[in-house]
Amino acid sequence: MGVSETYARGRRLAGEQPFAIVVGLVAVWLVWFLVEGLVTGRIRVSNVLSYAWDGLLRGLIVGLAGIGLSMTYSILNFANFSHGDYITSGAFSGWAVTYLLAGLGEANIGSLLLVGAGGSVFGGALGIGITTSPLAVVVGMLIAGAASIGLALFIDRFVYKPIRDESGIALLITSVGVAFALRYIIVFVFGTDVRGTTSAGEVPRVSFYLIDGSFRINAHDITLLVVAVGLMLGVHLLLQTTKLGKAMRAMSDNEDLARITGIPTEQVIRATWIVGGGLTGIAGYMFVLWKGTLGFNDGWLLLLLVFAAVILGGIGSIYGAIAGGIVIGLTASMSVIWIPSEFGRAAAFFVMIVILLFKPQGIFSGRTTA
Amino acid sequence: MKYEFVETFLLAPRALCGPRLATSHSRTPEVVRVSLLEVRDLDAGYGELQILTDVDLDVADEEYVTIVGPNGAGKSTVMKSVFGLTTHMGGTVTFADEDITATKPEDVIHKGLGYVPQNDNVFAELNVEENLEMGAYILDEVPQDALRMVYDRFPILEERKDQKAGTMSGGQQQMLAMGRALMLDPDLLLLDEPSAGLAPDLVDEMFDKIDEINEAGTAVLMVEQNAKEALRRCDRGYVLVNGQNRYVDEGDKLLNDEDVRQDFLGG
């Protein structure tokens, strides 16, 4: 009787949710593969930890960039496809200043301001790094934020504001246009070459010996961790405790009601671009500092992951963006345990689809910044 | 001031013989003089669609006025128009001797009006206290005395001040919405169907609260589908049909008028 009941329950589950069973089986296999690999020594514990660390940092960047996207979505009601190029613009502006500060006197100012376009200056040769030129890095980071804020406000004033009342689709298509315009303005000014900004070998790092291998953390990992977590905490406090933050949440919740309550909606929109733009620019700068290369496609390629993270987390929620970013980052990095590294991105999107099939509204469902 | 108004009203010759047609009302200059809110010849709607035609409406200081009428008569549209949320097509809205016809929705609250819409009238994702804080957004500081007053009037809100508004019952949300609108101690409170969707035993409580608010000195302009109860409690009522004033009189008189009863109150 017990057996037949179990059998009946199994049959019912198979009938109702065949997909859940497939996913469950795949998950079991993945765990088995990992455990068996760790036990037999085929997979190193230290490597798994390194992948996780890498994934966490990647996830923080995606999450940080995603906060801005999520905020503009929830308050302005449109998916901003030019967000990726705000990331790139912030990165280029910030790095131009970092190059200038780090290389003043060593190379000509034009080459420095163009971030070594055409191989005129190499970032590695300037010895840029958080420990070797902290001032250049911090100022560059702030400039990256400021430049993205300026750009976001400028574009909003001249492109999005005049069509604020149009449908979300009109705004979305417009933002695709803005994305291309920005990207090729960057190409026009800075060129298409991918340059190395820091020389990986020179970044100070500590190695731990961990069971079966070494696990490294470098100074830029720590910088990224501190900056990203600090800013995320800052946004959290802004939204939960300040009057402006509460007004932002109120407006994303119910715009008409916000209006009749006397909340100046245009001011809140401007504040949203300032916060979102600043975070986006800094995310772009930190991304480049961390990975050590800079190219005109960086933000655009990152945007796909950012969108995945934001949708996964529940579009409109900043906590969703952060959580989604970390899930996406961890998946992209840790998938190399099971599959070739070329498929890391694909795995991240696959996981997004699987999670959305079970939670269609995202992890933090609902259209809100809260 | 309230009594002065009623006196003026009763002195108008046609007031003595049943409900007056609204058009005659707008020609009574005495009424105009004591008005806090004054709507004249208002045409309004949404986009191309006109809903209101030549609507006249007055609310005096501390007066309690109700708009009743069949579904689709444009009752809510009158309120939205006062707050600048519709497409204006003609006429004027004056509040405390100031023309607010073209005032933007976010600025109307500065003039001393509070508005509780029928639906979506709380910030669902914010907690109770944050909702009330938003009610006083235009002030630099949250006015503690007003907050105290709202909590005293609606004790349930203080008990649940950390609860997300969206998770409260309909009646509690309605109280929160009213509390939010009272945070600036408005001269005139606009209430759009405050009893809609409430359990029957809560309806009376809600009307009692509105009486209290009015007795404390706030003029009330209310739209209600619960017409009998609303007319019983108000000072004066308007019957709106097809976007036009049909009748206007003291609430009791409308309630006892044969035509009004037959056509709008179900006999």
Side-chain angles (χ1 to χ4, degrees), chain B residues 72-83:
Chain B
K75 303 185 296 283
S76 297
T77 309
V78 174
M79 299 231 168
K80 288 183 185 161
S81 301
V82 170
F83 249 81

Side-chain angles (χ1 to χ4, degrees), chain A residues 138-357:
Chain A
V138 171
V139 173
M141 183 182 81
L142 295 176
I143 294 290
S148 286
I149 291 172
L151 183 74
L153 288 176
F154 177 83
I155 292 173
D156 183 57
R157 175 66 192 77
F158 292 102
V159 181
Y160 299 134
K161 192 178 174 190
I163 56 170
R164 188 95 77 215
D165 296 329
E166 301 294 326
S167 70
I169 295 293
L171 283 156
L172 186 149
I173 301 289
T174 307
S175 76
V176 174
V178 170
F180 278 105
L182 280 179
R183 196 171 324 144
Y184 289 98
I185 289 171
I186 291 170
V187 168
F188 181 74
V189 176
F190 296 100
T192 55
D193 46 338
V194 175
R195 55 274 265 170
T197 50
T198 52
S199 41
E202 287 168 23
V203 182
R205 62 184 173 203
V206 284
S207 292
F208 306 95
Y209 186 80
L210 204 87
I211 306 170
D212 50 6
S214 59
F215 171 64
R216 296 190 196 88
I217 295 176
N218 75 29
H220 289 168
D221 292 350
I222 301 294
T223 314
L224 169 61
L225 187 73
V226 169
V227 168
V229 172
L231 289 174
M232 285 168 179
L233 211 59
V235 177
H236 165 73
L237 291 177
L238 172 84
L239 286 175
Q240 300 299 333
T241 63
T242 70
K243 191 175 173 184
L244 173 68
K246 289 174 189 173
M248 285 176 167
R249 286 162 53 211
M251 197 172 150
S252 88
D253 186 3
N254 188 336
E255 192 177 336
D256 282 338
L257 187 61
R259 206 166 265 149
I260 60 171
T261 313
I263 295 174
T265 49
E266 277 299 323
Q267 260 178 37
V268 174
I269 290 173
R270 217 173 304 136
T272 305
W273 283 118
I274 290 174
V275 175
L279 295 177
T280 305
I282 292 175
Y285 185 92
M286 295 310 299
F287 185 40
V288 171
L289 179 74
W290 179 67
K291 73 188 173 93
T293 58
L294 170 63
F296 77 100
N297 254 337
D298 284 355
W300 173 244
L301 294 176
L302 191 66
L303 180 68
L304 295 175
L305 291 179
V306 172
F307 261 117
V310 165
I311 291 168
L312 177 59
I315 189 155
S317 158
I318 69 144
Y319 306 106
I322 296 170
I326 290 172
V327 170
I328 292 288
L330 284 174
T331 311
S333 296
M334 296 189 74
S335 62
V336 298
I337 294 171
W338 297 276
I339 55 176
S341 60
E342 292 85 351
F343 299 113
R345 262 170 178 273
F349 284 97
F350 183 75
V351 166
M352 176 191 90
I353 291 168
V354 169
I355 293 181
L356 288 179
L357 281 169

